[in-house]
């Protein structure tokens, strides 16, 4: 039995993305002025959050739905909701 690394395990994930994001950065000014480390760009295992220019870009389509952004943002500036029924991540075991 072989041990898979994180990249190999992430490859097993499949996504059915909705056209509307289930993740919302509520105020980009908070990210810009009160969060110099942009910690969400570090703790998200799917690397959903990217700081670009003057705002946080959210690539919700690859979200693992782990909920770390719900508790990890020190300013509670990320709104996380479950994706609409039938959308989101699909876990496969291999």
């Amino acid at each position: 039995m072989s041990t898979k690394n994180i990249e190999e395990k992430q490859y097993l994930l499949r996504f059915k993305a909705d056209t509307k994001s289930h993740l919302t950065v509520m105020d980009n000014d908070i990210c810009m002025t009160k969060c110099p480390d942009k910690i969400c760009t570090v703790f998200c295992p799917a690397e959903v959050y990217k700081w670009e220019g003057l705002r946080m870009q959210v690539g919700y389509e690859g979200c693992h739905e782990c909920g770390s952004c719900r508790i990890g943002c020190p300013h509670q500036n990320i709104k996380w909701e479950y994706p609409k029924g039938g959308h989101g991540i699909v876990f496969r075991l291999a």
Side-chain angles (χ1 to χ4, degrees):
M1 181 174 197
S2 67
T3 302
K4 293 184 181 345
N5 64 32
I6 190 70
E7 288 80 15
E8 291 170 328
K9 288 179 181 180
Q10 287 181 337
Y11 179 74
L12 294 174
L13 303 175
R14 296 294 177 251
F15 304 93
K16 183 176 180 189
D18 194 357
T19 56
K20 182 179 182 294
S21 178
H22 65 286
L23 305 169
T24 306
V25 174
M26 295 163 46
D27 186 347
N28 278 295
D29 288 337
I30 289 175
C31 298
M32 187 167 38
T33 61
K34 296 184 178 180
C35 195
D37 297 327
K38 313 293 186 272
I39 194 71
C40 62
T41 64
V42 177
F43 66 64
C44 176
E47 299 178 352
V48 165
Y49 301 94
K50 303 272 189 238
W51 183 255
E52 294 182 1
L54 300 176
R55 60 177 300 194
M56 189 65 66
Q57 298 294 327
V58 182
Y60 71 94
E61 301 89 348
C63 176
H64 292 184
E65 298 174 34
C66 67
S68 57
C69 57
R70 283 189 289 190
I71 58 173
C73 178
H75 305 286
Q76 298 177 335
N77 194 33
I78 299 172
K79 181 179 177 184
W80 188 98
E81 300 173 296
Y82 285 103
K84 187 169 60 174
H87 293 86
I89 194 166
V90 176
F91 295 98
R92 296 184 330 158
L93 302 175

